[in-house]
């Protein structure tokens, strides 16, 4: 069994099975065997089953939220927010199941009709991370099932309990065995089974770029389709004409969610030199008001890092910046609570050669850089192998459009620190991956386009 630990105090929350290869293979077999019958179900039937899953979860939100606090470390307010976010995907794709439309094309022959239909790609698999143990699963599973695919999930070994509770709710809602399956155990072994089994027609992975490259290379051997949502190095640009108060609030909300352990968390804060000092002062005042602590409470708090590796990475990046002469305005050390807690930290006086400018921090650290011109900051923002999301604050409409065109990212968010909802396409470019999740674009990732020519109609 795998012990699941509460990152806030190290206690054992529960256990999940460390499955043998034989058990993993059996689950894959069930996923593949269930596909023909599930793919032939009416879209309306799939929609109703997804809606039933939605309602089961909605009626049990408190239990899901408390479980996430215990195994993930995020506070109750964030857990409830994630549940609403994740439920949105089930609700959205319950409806989209009925809207996978084809086309007719003007025929190239007088006695023929040309049609295009969309069919589910087949059995699918997904590998999900620990930082959003609820939403990541609902986003992937709801999309696949709506399209007529079956799916097998491997959740993170850090947070498998929420995943198993989601599976339990799906079974109670009538979603059959095989249609939605789950395995836990050795990540490398399970990943290799997913990529090597030619019956698995698509894999969706959210995680690090390094692991994504490995999976994509292996999947390439079997030509398995992939959606990859990988690492980020998000710039957050504040121009001198920005609404300063709104920029500070957006920065705090985007950065401190899940203690900064989010792929879309701002990593590099570029602030125009004319307002740099005012922004830092206002940000420090706002951040200093936020408590750090265990999350089983109604108000927002910054929780612990997920594990010792994450804590040591953040500590090392801040210490590296300190040794290079950066200014630690706030925080910069492990919190007095001990354990895996780290103080929300503001670092200024950085240059683009700083280690944290090139590395995804994945912690509650605001790394702030000065800039002078629009052209300069666009060039610096794009000077990374990643391209997941970019944020910008400006009241200049022309500049907003220029940024939206010039920034190399799959998502450009202007005058807001909030990115996701079920109705928009989520995904990156460059080394942040490919493919999209959410919106009507997301379900297109799970269908094949088939051209049908019906000739001989004049006979």
């Amino acid at each position: 069994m795998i012990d699941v630990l509460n990152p806030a105090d190290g206690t054992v929350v529960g256990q999940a099975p460390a499955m043998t290869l034989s058990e993993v293979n059996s689950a894959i077999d069930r996923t593949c065997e269930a596909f023909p019958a599930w793919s032939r179900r009416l879209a309306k039937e799939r929609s109703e089953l997804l809606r039933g899953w939605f309602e089961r979860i909605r009626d049990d939100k408190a239990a899901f939220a408390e479980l996430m606090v215990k195994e993930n470390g995020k506070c109750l307010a964030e857990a409830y927010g994630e549940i609403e976010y994740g439920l949105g995907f089930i609700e959205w794709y319950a409806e989209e199941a009925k809207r996978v439309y084809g086309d007719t094309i003007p025929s190239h022959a007088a006695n023929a009709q040309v049609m295009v239909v969309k069919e589910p790609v087949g059995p699918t698999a997904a590998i999900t991370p620990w930082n959003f143990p609820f939403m990541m699963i609902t986003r992937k599973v709801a999309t696949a099932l709506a399209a007529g695919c079956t799916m097998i999930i491997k959740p993170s070994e850090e947070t498998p309990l929420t995943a198993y509770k989601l599976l339990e709710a799906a079974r109670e809602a009538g979603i059959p065995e095989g249609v939605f399956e789950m395995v836990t155990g050795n990540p490398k072994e399970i990943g290799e089974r997913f990529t090597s089994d030619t019956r698995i027609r698509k894999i969706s992975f959210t995680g690090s770029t390094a692991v994504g490259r490995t999976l994509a290379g292996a999947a390439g051997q079997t030509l398995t389709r992939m959606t990859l949502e990988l690492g980020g190095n998000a710039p957050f640009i504040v121009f001198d004409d920005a609404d300063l108060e709104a920029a500070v609030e957006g920065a705090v909300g985007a950065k401190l969610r899940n203690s900064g352990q989010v792929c879309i968390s701002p990593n590099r804060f570029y602030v125009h030199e004319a307002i740099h000092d005012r922004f830092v002062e206002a940000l420090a005042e706002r951040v200093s008001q936020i408590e750090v602590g265990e999350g089983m409470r109604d108000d927002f708090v910054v929780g612990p890092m997920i594990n010792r590796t994450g804590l040591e990475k953040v500590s090392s990046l801040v210490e590296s910046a300190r040794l290079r002469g950066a200014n630690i305005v706030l925080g910069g050390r492990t919190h007095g609570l001990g354990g895996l807690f780290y103080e929300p930290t503001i670092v200024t006086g950085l240059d683009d050669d700083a280690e944290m400018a090139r590395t995804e921090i994945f912690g509650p650290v605001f790394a702030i850089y000065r800039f002078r011109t629009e052209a300069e900051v666009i060039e610096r923002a794009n000077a990374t192998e990643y391209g997941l999301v970019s944020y910008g604050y400006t009241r200049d409409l022309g500049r907003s459009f220029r940024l939206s065109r010039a920034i190399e990212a799959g998502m450009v968010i202007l005058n807001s620190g909030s990115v996701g909802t079920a109705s928009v396409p989520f995904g990156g470019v460059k080394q942040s991956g490919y493919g999209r999740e959410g919106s009507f674009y997301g379900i297109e990732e799970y269908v094949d386009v088939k051209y049908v020519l019906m000739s001989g109609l004049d006979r």
Side-chain angles (χ1 to χ4, degrees):
M1 301 295 289
I2 301 168
D3 284 339
V4 181
L5 304 180
N6 184 335
D9 58 18
T11 58
V12 176
V13 181
Q15 292 184 316
M19 293 185 176
T20 65
L21 186 57
S22 175
E23 289 173 314
V24 172
N25 287 337
S26 293
I28 293 174
D29 288 344
R30 291 194 297 272
T31 303
C32 297
E33 290 162 5
F35 171 72
W38 180 254
S39 65
R40 289 193 297 268
R41 285 232 191 180
L42 294 176
K44 184 176 184 295
E45 293 175 344
R46 297 197 301 270
S47 174
E48 289 171 348
L49 285 167
L50 285 170
R51 185 72 196 186
W53 189 31
F54 169 91
E55 291 169 353
R56 287 276 180 173
I57 296 168
R58 185 184 58 188
D59 293 342
D60 203 17
K61 283 194 293 188
F64 273 101
E66 290 183 10
L67 182 56
M68 273 195 282
V69 171
K70 290 176 181 177
E71 72 168 347
N72 173 274
K74 64 181 62 182
C75 64
L76 271 175
E78 287 191 272
Y80 277 111
E82 181 180 342
I83 290 168
E84 292 302 326
Y85 188 16
L87 282 173
F89 287 103
I90 304 177
E91 185 175 42
W92 176 270
Y93 284 109
E95 295 301 317
E96 286 297 292
K98 298 179 285 187
R99 299 188 178 97
V100 182
Y101 300 143
D103 298 287
T104 59
I105 296 175
S107 178
H108 54 277
N111 67 338
Q113 173 69 57
V114 177
M115 299 186 298
V116 175
V117 296
K118 294 177 181 177
E119 299 179 339
V121 298
T124 65
I127 301 173
T128 60
W130 53 263
N131 54 350
F132 290 93
F134 183 98
M135 181 276 293
M136 289 291 184
I137 291 176
T138 60
R139 183 162 71 183
K140 296 179 191 296
V141 173
T143 315
L145 270 56
C149 302
T150 54
M151 176 168 271
I152 182 169
I153 288 274
K154 191 212 83 69
S156 167
E157 57 274 19
E158 303 273 8
T159 56
L161 304 181
T162 300
Y164 274 107
K165 189 168 178 60
L166 282 167
L167 178 63
E168 179 184 3
R171 292 285 186 270
E172 291 173 353
I175 294 175
E177 184 179 84
V179 172
F180 173 20
E181 286 287 333
M182 192 170 299
V183 290
T184 46
N186 185 302
K188 184 174 184 294
E189 191 175 75
I190 293 172
E192 288 173 350
R193 285 297 301 119
F194 284 175
T195 55
S196 63
D197 195 318
T198 56
R199 297 174 298 170
I200 299 291
R201 301 297 178 84
K202 175 185 172 60
I203 299 171
S204 178
F205 171 74
T206 298
S208 72
T209 295
V211 174
R213 289 188 187 118
T214 300
L215 289 170
Q221 300 304 306
T222 53
L223 294 182
T224 302
R225 187 186 304 191
M226 293 203 74
T227 294
L228 295 173
E229 194 262 287
L230 308 176
N233 189 2
F236 189 106
I237 307 168
V238 186
F239 288 92
D240 55 349
D241 66 335
D243 180 328
L244 192 63
E245 182 179 349
V248 167
E249 285 301 312
V252 170
K255 185 66 196 183
L256 294 184
R257 183 172 56 155
N258 208 24
S259 304
Q261 300 170 110
V262 184
C263 60
I264 57 173
S265 177
N267 211 59
R268 297 168 291 153
F269 290 83
Y270 294 107
V271 184
H272 193 275
E273 61 180 8
I275 62 166
H276 175 277
D277 293 349
R278 285 193 291 133
F279 178 85
V280 172
E281 182 181 355
L283 180 65
E285 181 180 356
R286 180 70 183 89
V287 173
S288 65
Q289 297 168 358
I290 298 172
E291 289 188 52
V292 174
E294 191 273 334
M296 201 66 75
R297 50 197 286 184
D298 292 331
D299 53 331
F300 174 81
V301 293
V302 175
M305 304 300 293
I306 188 65
N307 53 33
R308 182 63 54 181
T309 300
L311 179 69
E312 290 174 353
K313 177 184 178 181
V314 171
S315 298
S316 174
L317 288 171
V318 173
E319 185 59 25
S320 174
R322 194 196 311 268
L323 292 174
R324 287 177 60 90
N327 180 34
I328 310 300
V329 176
L330 191 71
R333 63 181 71 86
T334 55
H335 195 273
L337 290 170
L340 300 178
F341 291 94
Y342 195 85
E343 293 185 357
T345 297
I346 299 174
V347 184
T348 64
L350 293 160
D351 58 50
D352 291 355
D353 291 328
E355 187 180 3
M356 65 173 60
R358 306 185 306 273
T359 304
E360 189 172 24
I361 299 170
F362 234 60
V365 179
F366 297 81
I368 301 177
Y369 308 76
R370 292 176 183 264
F371 78 91
R372 290 184 178 181
T373 68
E374 180 182 319
E376 169 209 339
V377 77
I378 289 173
E379 181 179 359
R380 292 169 68 187
N382 287 338
T384 174
E385 65 177 351
Y386 300 104
L388 185 57
V389 65
S390 176
Y391 304 86
Y393 275 77
T394 177
R395 286 184 276 203
D396 184 320
L397 183 60
R399 176 180 286 147
S400 295
F401 274 102
R402 292 193 298 273
L403 283 175
S404 71
R405 293 172 177 173
I407 293 291
E408 297 170 355
M411 300 172 286
V412 178
I413 311 301
L414 300 171
N415 300 313
S416 175
S418 178
V419 174
T421 184
S423 59
V424 302
F426 187 103
V429 298
K430 300 198 290 190
Q431 294 299 302
S432 290
Y434 49 77
R436 293 297 180 267
E437 293 184 316
S439 83
F440 73 90
Y441 293 102
I443 206 164
E444 296 292 318
E445 303 275 336
Y446 289 87
V447 297
D448 283 325
V449 174
K450 178 183 283 186
Y451 151 56
V452 179
L453 175 66
M454 298 182 65
S455 192
L457 300 182
D458 58 349
R459 295 190 181 93

